Every structure is written in C-alpha cells, then in structure tokens.
Amino acid sequence: MDCPVDGGVLSEISATEEYEIVPIEVILTDIAANKLREIFNTEPGEVVLTLAVHRGGCSGYLYDMQIGDKPEPVGHQFDDISGIPIAISDFDSSLLAGIVIDFQDSLMGGGFKIENPNAAKECSCGSSFG
C-alpha cells in the first residue's frame, strides 16, 4: 500500500504553531557523503542539501531532501557535514535532530535512507515516520 499524498512542507503550513529550535545534529555515513559529493559535483553554482519534513505519509510525516539554492538565513540553521553544506528549517529541527543519513545501493533501486531517533514509528515504505 502506498503512503498518502504529501501534505506540504511542515514549516510553511504551520507558521502559527509554536516549536522548539534544536541545534543541527546530522550524521552522514561515508557512503552517503560520497554519493552526495558526486551529486553536488554535477550541480552548477553554490548549492546546499536542504532537509525538511512534510505532513503526510503512512505515519504522519515525510522526509524531504533537496539540493538547491541556499535558503534565507532567517529561520534556518546551516552546517557543513563531511564537506556537504546542509540547511534545516528551525521549525523542522526538533524532528530531524540526530538523524543518520545513509545510502543503500540494491538491485531493486538504491537511495538515501534516514534513521531517526525521534521517530516513534516508521512506515515500511521508508519515507514516513511519526
């Protein structure tokens, strides 16, 4: 069964909710950092890996990883982890604190996998947590 539709970036649809700002603490495995470096080498200009959370999915939230222009400084935290520039919205920081990003390559198709110590539950689809 597929996860329900993406409900939108949490920080954009929850502007009136109160939230706790937690310092960025992201761990990249060596294979994930190497894969991201390969991707960054194909991107023009100065880009960052933006990590975000969306409402939706089987368990309540969906992960979002995008490589693109650096977001506005206000409301974001920035770090350089293993040579990868990362941005996380202050609003999403408590849900993403301490995550481990790995890359798994398989015959059925590889991809980035996130292990989240804040997740009470995770969906079997691997993209959703609650």
Side-chain angles (χ1 to χ4, degrees), residues 10-20 55 61 91 95:
L10 193 58
S11 59
E12 291 176 2
I13 60 176
S14 304
T16 59
E17 291 182 38
E18 290 193 28
Y19 56 93
E20 176 184 6
R55 283 207 168 126
Y61 299 110
F91 192 90
L95 293 171

Side-chain angles (χ1 to χ4, degrees), residues 5-129:
V5 175
D6 178 355
V9 178
L10 193 58
S11 59
E12 291 176 2
I13 60 176
S14 304
T16 59
E17 291 182 38
E18 290 193 28
Y19 56 93
E20 176 184 6
I21 299 173
V22 177
I24 288 180
E25 188 179 328
V26 174
I27 298 166
L28 292 175
T29 65
D30 289 340
I31 192 167
N34 289 336
K35 191 64 169 177
L36 285 166
R37 278 188 212 97
E38 286 177 27
I39 296 168
F40 270 68
N41 286 336
T42 65
E43 293 292 324
E46 193 173 325
V47 293
V48 300
L49 172 65
T50 301
L51 303 172
V53 175
H54 293 238
R55 283 207 168 126
C58 305
S59 300
Y61 299 110
L62 293 167
Y63 297 111
D64 182 28
M65 293 177 54
Q66 293 188 29
I67 295 174
D69 294 333
K70 187 174 183 178
E72 293 295 320
V74 175
H76 287 87
Q77 297 180 52
F78 302 92
D79 201 356
D80 187 284
I81 301 168
S82 300
I84 306 298
I86 294 179
I88 294 179
S89 163
D90 287 341
F91 192 90
D92 297 333
S93 64
S94 65
L95 293 171
L96 297 174
I99 63 171
V100 177
I101 302 174
D102 192 14
F103 184 84
Q104 297 179 344
D105 204 2
S106 72
L107 292 174
M108 299 301 289
F112 291 98
K113 178 176 171 39
I114 297 176
E115 293 178 31
N116 190 338
N118 307 301
K121 58 183 176 176
E122 292 183 343
C123 179
S124 62
C125 69
S127 300
S128 178
F129 72 102

